[in-house]
Amino acid sequence: MRRGEHPSGAVVGGILAPHPPHLVYASNPPQNEPRSSGAGAWQELLAGYQRLRASLEARVYDVLVVHTPHWKTRTGTHFLGVPHFSGLSVDPIFPNLFRFQYELDVDVALSQSIHDHARDAGLSCQMMTNPEFRVDYGTLTSCHLVRPAGDLPVVAISSVRTAFDYCNEAGDQEMLALGRATRAAVEASGKSALCLASCSLSHRHYTTEPADPEDPAFESIHNENQAAWDRHILALMESGQSRRVFDEMPDFTDQCVAETRDGSLSWLLAAMDFPEVAGQVHGYGTVIGTGNAVVEWDLSR
Amino acid sequence: MSGQVLSGYLVPNQPLPLLAPDANRGWASLRDSCARVRAEIEASEADLLLLFSTRWVSIIGHQIQADPQPEWWVVDEDFHSYGSLHYKLRMDADFAAQYLDKAQARGLHARTVAYRGFPIDVGTITALRLLNPDNRIPACVVSCNMYSDRAETLVLGKAARDAVEASGRKAVVLGVSALSNRMFTRWIDPAHDRIHSQKDDEWNRKLLELLGDGRLEDVSQLAREFSHQANGDSKMKALWWMAAALGENNHYRGTVFDYQPVWGTGAALVGLQPAAASVGDLEYDEDGAEFFRGDRNVLAPNDPGRHE
């Protein structure tokens, strides 16, 4: 089936697509101003993204829908609502690594539709229509690593702070509703969507950085508790137990300081309607102590 | 000639008093009260505004803004419909370098940042636009590390004081922070803004009563309990940092210029001027750290010192 010939829309796949700017830095794309030292850290993740891109080459999809932890909103879920953005993104946390010139097309129609479906489900939502808004680096990083050509429109969804303001369970329930709204809007759109959860797994950082941030000697998981939880969650994904991942999410988030607290993975699982197909783990590695996995669910089979 | 920390102010971290003062009487009141603080600062001998902003979060230690003239714009993640904040600020890059030296001398992992297009945080821009709109006084901003707790933040505040004294600057320190930090999670009619709950309001007023008495060290010691009870902003690290920078005591004349709700959070404008007398000079059960020795990663399986 060719692009544009879908009788009805579908979420054709889901990707756990972590967003460490380090991976963009190490890849040296022309859009990024800093140049990597090439010292060799993060190879497992870089190779994982490479394997993901190879896997996606044969796949057909029209739009990337990304849920990002680095657009943090406390007044409900927000959606990009301007057709095109361009500008310079400087990471406020790692400005030494990520100063990225970007161009981003937005599928405003689909964005608006997900917004409307979510609002009808009772969620607090906003469209972001200020053309001077600087797109967050989570969206930019994940989209670039998944599809460096940047030739597809994007829907970017903010991370509402419900889990932080109330509790993990409340946050996950809101993401369940948002994921279902996303799925319904995609199906109604007639488009094929690849959904990206732009987040790490365990998320305890080291708070220091070596002189060369890419020095592999300084890279490891922050502690064994984080690694054990990451292994457990990945095993569930690989065995097709996505519902169990969701069920255990509040504990994983709490006990592993996981970035799943920001909602991206829960949203993704709901948007995919809790697939029983195995998630393919393309790579797992650490970035400044955090655990990151590149995982693909192919729902087109 | 030795420098000196002249005074300190707690200032709000939300942009609405600047972006939309006419939408809510409380927001307009905060803007107007900032004008009073601005006059007080201008009447002092201050030649440096030194800020700690909870809206600039860092992970890798502590970041210090060192671009002498950052110029860009920022759009708030939530309040984008109220417009953009364009800024052109004047930063004291020399002082930033001295602050870095003093922070490192106390064991802190720190760095200066100076990059074109770096996103200066909304709290800093709002504070400087309202308190120093013509950039008459150069500024310096330090980030709020998400992992640092009281001891590390106190050390960061003491390093600020070290740097001020060594630099010869006359500094006013600004803690950019909310009090209670529970926002309304839905879109509200700004005219109907209020503190999210009576409980948060009561805690805010208790804290302001202490600050009004000049009891900054008491508030620093109480910050954990306040944060727990009233969802305090970033564990109230801004108050820890201010208390350390101002000398870890209660010897101040406190002035509560204003206290208003901003989208449910507690937004206060408080001044602390050094004074000879003190309402209370108590004996505290929490010691003040002088040096930071790194994270104690007790769960790390091996080589725990590698990242210290």
Side-chain angles (χ1 to χ4, degrees):
Chain A
M1 189 176 294
R2 294 177 184 276
R3 186 169 301 153
E5 292 180 353
H6 315 292
S8 65
V11 174
V12 296
I15 311 290
L16 178 58
H19 59 252
H22 305 64
L23 304 182
V24 173
Y25 166 75
S27 305
N28 281 320
Q31 300 98 317
N32 200 35
E33 183 186 328
R35 295 290 95 186
S36 135
S37 73
W42 320 308
Q43 289 302 311
E44 280 298 318
L45 280 165
L46 290 165
Y49 265 113
Q50 205 163 25
R51 286 189 283 269
L52 169 69
R53 290 191 292 269
S55 172
L56 290 175
E57 274 182 10
R59 305 268 299 279
V60 176
Y61 49 96
D62 305 310
V63 59
L64 300 175
V65 183
V66 55
H67 186 282
T68 173
H70 282 281
W71 180 10
K72 302 175 190 297
T73 53
R74 300 185 64 192
T75 56
T77 298
H78 296 223
F79 302 82
L80 291 185
V82 175
H84 183 77
F85 290 93
S86 66
L88 174 67
S89 173
V90 179
D91 182 347
I93 297 169
F94 300 103
N96 51 328
L97 305 181
F98 192 80
R99 304 191 296 278
F100 190 85
Q101 198 75 43
Y102 66 90
E103 302 281 340
L104 190 80
D105 288 323
V106 175
D107 186 335
V108 177
L110 180 57
S111 190
Q112 181 73 55
S113 179
I114 299 173
H115 165 280
D116 294 348
H117 278 80
R119 181 199 57 204
D120 293 346
L123 302 184
S124 175
C125 297
Q126 294 283 324
M127 291 296 289
M128 201 305 297
T129 58
N130 186 328
E132 292 191 308
F133 189 76
R134 184 141 50 168
V135 178
D136 74 283
Y137 73 88
T139 293
L140 297 174
T141 300
S142 292
C143 290
H144 176 81
L145 291 168
V146 170
R147 196 171 174 99
D151 55 350
L152 288 182
V154 166
V155 171
I157 306 175
S158 78
S159 167
V160 65
R161 306 280 87 192
T162 304
F164 296 82
D165 284 337
Y166 295 96
C167 65
N168 293 342
E169 289 80 357
D172 283 338
Q173 288 305 308
E174 190 161 339
M175 290 304 98
L176 179 64
L178 182 64
R180 287 172 171 161
T182 301
R183 185 177 183 84
V186 167
E187 289 174 350
S189 73
K191 296 171 183 169
S192 295
L194 188 65
C195 291
L196 314 182
S198 170
C199 74
S200 302
L201 294 175
S202 66
H203 205 231
R204 182 59 169 92
H205 301 81
Y206 292 115
T207 57
T208 60
E209 190 179 65
D212 178 358
E214 205 170 353
D215 182 349
F218 281 81
E219 195 54 74
S220 64
I221 193 76
H222 189 275
N223 62 64
E224 181 54 27
N225 170 69
Q226 313 290 88
W229 259 112
D230 286 350
R231 284 194 298 269
H232 172 65
I233 291 295
L234 289 174
L236 294 180
M237 290 176 175
E238 286 184 297
S239 57
Q241 299 185 72
S242 61
R243 172 63 75 172
R244 186 172 161 193
V245 173
F246 185 83
D247 290 344
E248 296 184 11
M249 196 77 77
D251 293 335
F252 171 56
T253 296
D254 194 46
Q255 295 173 27
C256 198
V257 202
E259 200 175 27
T260 49
R261 196 177 190 191
D262 295 75
S264 303
L265 182 56
S266 297
W267 163 82
L268 176 66
L269 296 176
M272 294 191 297
D273 197 23
F274 302 99
E276 294 180 357
V277 300
Q280 184 174 359
V281 179
H282 289 293
Y284 173 81
T286 67
V287 179
I288 47 168
T290 66
N292 298 271
V294 180
V295 184
E296 177 189 11
W297 287 266
D298 181 355
L299 307 182
S300 64
R301 292 175 189 168
Chain B
M1 182 179 172
S2 176
Q4 184 183 356
V5 178
L6 298 176
S7 58
Y9 295 88
L10 175 68
V11 300
N13 71 355
Q14 290 286 354
L16 293 173
L18 176 62
L19 284 171
D22 297 332
N24 174 280
R25 282 188 299 179
W27 303 351
S29 175
L30 286 168
R31 178 202 56 186
D32 296 344
S33 296
C34 281
R36 294 167 58 203
V37 171
R38 175 186 167 192
E40 194 168 279
I41 292 173
E42 287 181 349
S44 75
E45 298 177 332
D47 57 14
L48 174 68
L49 299 178
L50 180 52
L51 294 85
F52 174 103
S53 175
T54 60
R55 299 295 296 269
W56 181 12
V57 174
S58 60
I59 290 172
I60 303 298
H62 308 276
Q63 301 195 120
I64 304 165
Q65 184 55 241
D67 182 347
Q69 195 174 70
E71 182 176 5
W72 209 259
W73 65 90
V74 67
V75 177
D76 188 81
E77 292 176 302
D78 277 289
F79 302 117
H80 38 76
S81 60
Y82 285 106
S84 312
L85 286 168
H86 289 257
Y87 60 86
K88 184 175 183 178
L89 304 173
R90 179 181 169 209
M91 295 287 170
D92 188 335
D94 291 338
F95 178 80
Q98 292 181 72
Y99 193 2
L100 172 64
D101 288 344
K102 296 301 182 186
Q104 290 175 334
R106 284 184 179 266
L108 295 167
H109 191 90
R111 65 183 173 200
T112 54
V113 296
Y115 299 102
R116 186 182 75 87
F118 184 91
I120 307 284
D121 69 280
V122 163
T124 292
I125 296 165
T126 301
L128 290 177
R129 287 272 297 272
L130 289 173
L131 298 176
N132 190 40
D134 52 4
N135 287 321
R136 192 178 68 85
I137 306 172
C140 181
V141 191
V142 65
S143 67
C144 176
N145 184 288
M146 63 180 287
Y147 291 109
S148 69
D149 212 315
R150 184 168 186 268
E152 185 173 352
T153 310
L154 292 181
V155 174
L156 185 68
K158 290 176 183 179
R161 189 179 181 90
D162 295 344
V164 169
E165 290 175 351
S167 69
R169 303 289 197 279
K170 306 282 189 196
V172 169
V173 296
L174 304 174
V176 182
S177 174
L179 294 178
S180 66
N181 197 32
R182 187 173 291 286
M183 287 175 72
F184 291 111
T185 56
R186 57 187 163 74
W187 208 249
I188 62 170
D189 177 348
H192 296 152
D193 198 1
R194 60 176 174 79
I195 299 294
H196 193 277
S197 70
Q198 182 175 339
K199 181 259 302 175
D200 283 0
D201 189 33
E202 289 169 354
W203 269 103
N204 288 337
R205 291 179 187 278
K206 170 51 76 177
L207 211 71
L208 291 173
E209 178 187 328
L210 298 177
L211 289 171
D213 286 341
R215 296 168 62 183
L216 180 57
E217 182 59 19
D218 285 357
V219 168
S220 173
Q221 300 267 337
L222 185 65
R224 281 203 181 98
E225 182 66 15
F226 175 83
S227 295
H228 182 65
Q229 297 287 347
N231 197 32
D233 182 12
S234 307
K235 297 184 182 178
M236 304 312 295
K237 293 178 192 181
L239 284 171
W240 286 336
W241 178 83
M242 277 181 67
L246 282 161
E248 288 188 299
N249 58 57
N250 283 335
H251 296 225
Y252 307 101
R253 176 175 56 81
T255 305
V256 179
F257 289 92
D258 210 342
Y259 166 58
Q260 302 289 344
V262 178
W263 218 271
T265 67
L269 203 51
V270 181
L272 293 153
Q273 305 283 344
S278 168
V279 167
D281 200 6
L282 307 178
E283 184 175 297
Y284 301 110
D285 57 359
E286 281 204 71
D287 200 3
E290 299 294 329
F291 191 87
F292 183 63
R293 301 186 190 284
D295 294 334
R296 290 184 293 170
N297 186 359
V298 297
L299 295 174
N302 51 37
D303 199 8
R306 194 168 60 181
H307 286 272
E308 289 179 356

